[in-house]
Amino acid sequence: MRNKCSPFLDSGKGVRGLGQKGLLARALVVLLTLNLLLAACGGDEPRPTPTPNSPVPQTQTFSSLPIAQETTPAPYNYSPDKTFIFGLSQEPIAFGGSGLDPANLTDYPSLRITRQIYDTLFEFKPNSMEIQPANFMKPNGVQVSDDGLTYTIRIGGGLKFSDGSNFDAEAIRFNFLRWASPSGIYHRGDFWAYRYYFVDQQGFSGYPGNLDLIRLQIPDERTIVIGLKNPMPMLPQLLAMPQFGLVARSSFDDKGNFVKPIGSGPYMVDKAYDKNARSDQRYMTLKKNPYYEIEKDPKKLPKRSLETLVLRVLPGNQDGLRELKDNRISATDKIRPEEVPTNSNDSQFEIKRRPALNLAFLGINQARPPFDKEEVRQALAYGINLKALVAANYNGLGIPAAGFLPPATLGYTPDLKTYPYDPQKAKDLLAQAGYPDGISTPLELWVLPVPRLYYPDASKVAKSIIDDLAKINIKVVARDESWVSFNANRDDGKYSLFLGGWQGENGDPDEFFYHFFGEDHKDTGYSNPELQGYLRDARQSLDSTLRQSLYQKANQTIIKDIPVLPLAYSDLPVAVRRDILGYDPHPSGIESWANLSFK
């Protein structure tokens, strides 16, 4: 099975099976967690469409509107009790030269910045993966045709980008054409999110060729019509992702190069990050977008109590909690998981939890004996003590898994009946399968040494599994190899057991289920046409109740057949000063800071 071609492979995004290159020294594993926790390709091409090739217009100014003034960078003199200073866990890719073009970013630190600068057509609600229309839309501004193929969106009039240029239906259309037009002068870079969901990953979570650009129309300056070739119930979820931030045409020069981040979001860049500057200048500041509130309903707007936001990179071994304790930052997610229990009651800061939108699982290849026998797979499920595994390895942040969907997904079902820990029942099942004395020939468990959001230390999780299975007389040994070899061998079905996982982005069940079970895959040797039918029907239906029912059936089928054994979901920590109000940790790991204030 192919892997996503995305830097999320190196920033915690998740892959089907998660063995990586040869085991690193375990002393480095936890350290790498710090930098990797919050920091991977062919279908039908869209039909030929017009491309946005017209020159970039001059920035418009309006004497009746506030003007965004240029500011001269000053030495770093911000105090975390007066200015919100976020300590980034690693240097954003955007700071390395790619710029703050959301369409070309996949790492969390970069997207956390663009979330403040750019609006999206839809947005996630605070602390939830549920979506709502953007605050620049008119009341009842989203109309979906009965067949699900046409979205008509009406926005307010007089809207502006942060440089004063018009934010209208044509500006939105420009973004769609830019995303979808590889030959257009503004389409430069990987455009990973658009490609994954709309172009070339057939059989994965995307809808290759489904966006009908011929029907992308603007009846008037306040209306845009989006056409689809097939129903796509999760379209609003996708368009809420920060990679689909709406960029002004004036962000580009006349050759189509992205030269400055101009959006319509609550904040705008004030001082850009300069990695070559002296140490006291290596930070970024954002300030209020003066055009943000114009022509919008005040009841829908965030407070924006803070004039300035500061982004500081915490490099290398720099300890995020130590920076908080030393009064240098206001918040950070650069936290070693093992620090959480001992710092949960600190008087200066609170450790908040981003609800779990991820899953760790044990992959089981049914095409390889002895796992071709259902009783052996069930024995594994009864023989692994998930509560003890989570307690020992997740530092209070883990939740024993009860199905393939994590708690923050829209289709999560909390009361699924799964396999309780019962080692005697596991032994009885082994006897029924023809193994009354257990399995003494060592089975190999392929393990990743690189931390992921859902594996603080995968080698320790593997040890817990191996120890539990030894109690039911199944001998298992841990193995590892390079990332490239692991991918090839796992996808070719050469492993019997492997650790796997996934980190969600948009919260729709489809991004978990269809990616793994929408087609046959050799890694688990699993094929179930009935399950695949549930998933195909769910990704085409606009009936949310029917979709929920289909996904419940899918979950129950996976629990019964055990192609994978869900192990754990993991909440993600973010530490925030106790005098800051309005910080709502988000399952995606990417929060809006527009509602923050100090006590």
Side-chain angles (χ1 to χ4, degrees):
M1 174 175 177
R2 296 167 295 170
N3 289 301
K4 291 185 182 183
C5 298
S6 164
F8 269 123
L9 283 174
D10 293 322
S11 62
K13 166 58 195 154
V15 291
R16 287 185 56 86
L18 298 176
Q20 311 284 334
K21 53 188 175 180
L23 279 171
L24 303 176
R26 289 189 181 179
L28 291 177
V29 169
V30 172
L31 176 59
L32 282 172
T33 304
L34 218 49
N35 291 321
L36 294 174
L37 276 179
L38 292 173
C41 277
D44 298 330
E45 294 291 334
R47 71 181 80 173
T49 58
T51 57
N53 289 316
S54 55
V56 180
Q58 296 296 314
T59 301
Q60 303 176 50
T61 57
F62 303 86
S63 58
S64 61
L65 299 175
I67 303 299
Q69 301 295 330
E70 295 290 330
T71 59
T72 302
Y76 187 88
N77 59 359
Y78 296 102
S79 172
D81 60 346
K82 296 185 174 75
T83 301
F84 181 74
I85 306 169
F86 192 89
L88 297 169
S89 61
Q90 63 190 55
E91 183 174 276
I93 290 175
F95 289 178
S98 63
L100 288 166
D101 179 356
N104 278 316
L105 297 171
T106 56
D107 64 301
Y108 287 121
S110 294
L111 293 172
R112 197 164 289 126
I113 299 171
T114 64
R115 175 68 179 85
Q116 321 310 320
I117 298 172
Y118 303 105
D119 280 322
T120 48
L121 275 178
F122 298 88
E123 60 187 24
F124 296 115
K125 295 181 179 180
N127 205 41
S128 169
M129 297 308 295
E130 294 181 358
I131 57 99
Q132 59 192 9
N135 59 27
F136 56 78
M137 290 191 192
K138 299 293 287 183
N140 301 313
V142 181
Q143 301 296 323
V144 183
S145 62
D146 291 341
D147 60 8
L149 301 182
T150 305
Y151 286 70
T152 302
I153 295 174
R154 288 190 53 79
I155 65 174
L159 302 172
K160 305 295 176 186
F161 285 104
S162 62
D163 65 344
S165 58
N166 288 333
F167 177 38
D168 53 17
E170 177 56 42
I172 297 172
R173 180 175 180 270
F174 165 80
N175 279 269
F176 275 87
L177 291 177
R178 175 182 175 246
W179 297 330
S181 304
S183 61
I185 66 171
Y186 302 113
H187 188 105
R188 301 195 177 192
D190 186 61
F191 284 65
W192 173 84
Y194 181 83
R195 286 196 303 104
Y196 179 74
Y197 288 107
F198 293 99
V199 182
D200 54 14
Q201 290 284 353
Q202 192 157 15
F204 285 60
S205 299
Y207 286 72
N210 198 42
L211 191 61
D212 190 349
L213 295 180
I214 294 297
R215 294 199 293 123
L216 184 68
Q217 302 171 353
I218 45 173
D220 57 62
E221 66 178 12
R222 300 187 185 187
T223 306
I224 183 165
V225 178
I226 302 170
L228 301 175
K229 299 175 186 176
N230 295 290
M232 194 173 182
M234 71 287 297
L235 179 65
Q237 299 290 133
L238 302 183
L239 296 180
M241 291 168 54
Q243 291 95 328
F244 294 101
L246 300 171
V247 180
R249 190 186 294 247
S250 50
S251 291
F252 305 87
D253 65 17
D254 57 3
K255 295 181 180 179
N257 299 303
F258 183 88
V259 293
K260 49 188 174 180
I262 298 174
S264 58
Y267 288 90
M268 58 185 289
V269 173
D270 180 16
K271 174 193 176 298
Y273 182 86
D274 182 0
K275 64 189 308 177
N276 297 316
R278 64 180 189 265
S279 59
D280 64 347
Q281 289 288 325
R282 292 177 191 166
Y283 63 95
M284 169 179 276
T285 61
L286 306 179
K287 65 180 180 181
K288 283 184 178 180
N289 170 7
Y291 299 97
Y292 181 67
E293 297 177 356
I294 293 172
E295 300 295 334
K296 294 178 181 176
D297 183 352
K299 296 178 181 178
K300 296 182 180 179
L301 291 173
K303 298 176 182 177
R304 288 202 310 164
S305 301
L306 305 183
E307 294 290 335
T308 302
L309 308 175
V310 179
L311 290 306
R312 269 192 60 202
V313 175
L314 305 182
N317 297 340
Q318 199 164 1
D319 187 326
L321 295 187
R322 173 49 56 192
E323 292 295 296
L324 270 170
K325 292 177 180 179
D326 290 346
N327 204 37
R328 295 191 183 100
I329 58 176
S330 309
T332 187
D333 57 5
K334 188 169 187 177
I335 304 169
R336 289 191 292 268
E338 67 271 19
E339 292 182 308
V340 171
T342 57
N343 287 277
S344 58
N345 295 314
D346 192 275
S347 61
Q348 293 178 255
F349 57 82
E350 177 184 3
I351 296 182
K352 296 176 177 283
R353 298 164 68 118
R354 291 167 172 150
L357 188 62
N358 56 65
L359 166 72
F361 63 79
L362 175 65
I364 305 172
N365 192 336
Q366 300 186 9
R368 296 175 65 88
F371 301 114
D372 55 335
K373 296 186 176 183
E374 183 178 76
E375 294 90 347
V376 176
R377 300 195 302 273
Q378 291 176 345
L380 261 64
Y382 282 112
I384 297 174
N385 188 339
L386 295 185
K387 290 183 179 179
L389 181 149
V390 168
N393 297 291
Y394 283 83
N395 301 286
L397 296 169
I399 305 166
F404 201 73
L405 291 182
T409 52
L410 301 182
Y412 176 66
T413 304
D415 55 353
L416 281 174
K417 184 178 180 181
T418 57
Y419 298 89
Y421 179 55
D422 189 339
Q424 184 56 54
K425 187 172 183 62
K427 291 178 181 179
D428 293 342
L429 286 163
L430 288 174
Q432 293 176 30
Y435 299 98
D437 299 320
I439 300 173
S440 58
T441 302
L443 302 171
E444 295 180 331
L445 169 58
W446 290 86
V447 184
L448 73 160
V450 176
R452 285 294 188 261
L453 300 170
Y454 33 79
Y455 284 120
D457 187 335
S459 63
K460 292 182 178 179
V461 172
K463 185 177 185 305
S464 293
I465 293 172
I466 291 169
D467 289 347
D468 278 348
L469 295 182
K471 296 173 185 176
I472 60 171
N473 300 319
I474 297 179
K475 183 174 179 58
V476 179
V477 293
R479 292 284 186 265
D480 69 280
E481 61 181 341
S482 73
W483 168 239
V484 173
S485 296
F486 179 92
N487 275 337
N489 290 331
R490 179 207 63 220
D491 292 352
D492 200 33
K494 294 181 179 179
Y495 297 155
S496 297
L497 297 171
F498 60 89
L499 291 184
W502 195 251
Q503 170 65 38
E505 297 175 278
N506 58 67
D508 194 277
D510 185 78
E511 71 171 332
F512 281 83
F513 278 126
Y514 202 79
H515 177 81
F516 290 93
F517 305 111
E519 294 181 344
D520 295 349
H521 298 292
K522 290 183 179 179
D523 55 357
T524 57
Y526 180 59
S527 176
N528 186 323
E530 185 177 39
L531 171 61
Q532 292 172 2
Y534 296 152
L535 300 182
R536 284 193 299 270
D537 291 346
R539 72 191 330 245
Q540 297 290 332
S541 175
L542 300 177
D543 184 334
S544 59
T545 301
L546 175 60
R547 293 189 81 215
Q548 177 79 2
S549 173
L550 290 168
Y551 285 131
Q552 286 181 358
K553 291 179 180 178
N555 230 340
Q556 291 163 352
T557 301
I558 293 165
I559 291 170
K560 174 184 178 295
D561 294 348
I562 324 179
V564 300
L565 178 63
L567 300 174
Y569 318 122
S570 182
D571 291 345
L572 307 177
V574 55
V576 184
R577 286 177 58 101
R578 292 189 180 274
D579 57 355
I580 291 175
L581 302 175
Y583 199 107
D584 294 314
H586 198 267
S588 69
I590 301 170
E591 291 91 13
S592 170
W593 296 330
N595 276 312
L596 299 183
S597 63
F598 284 93
K599 290 182 180 179

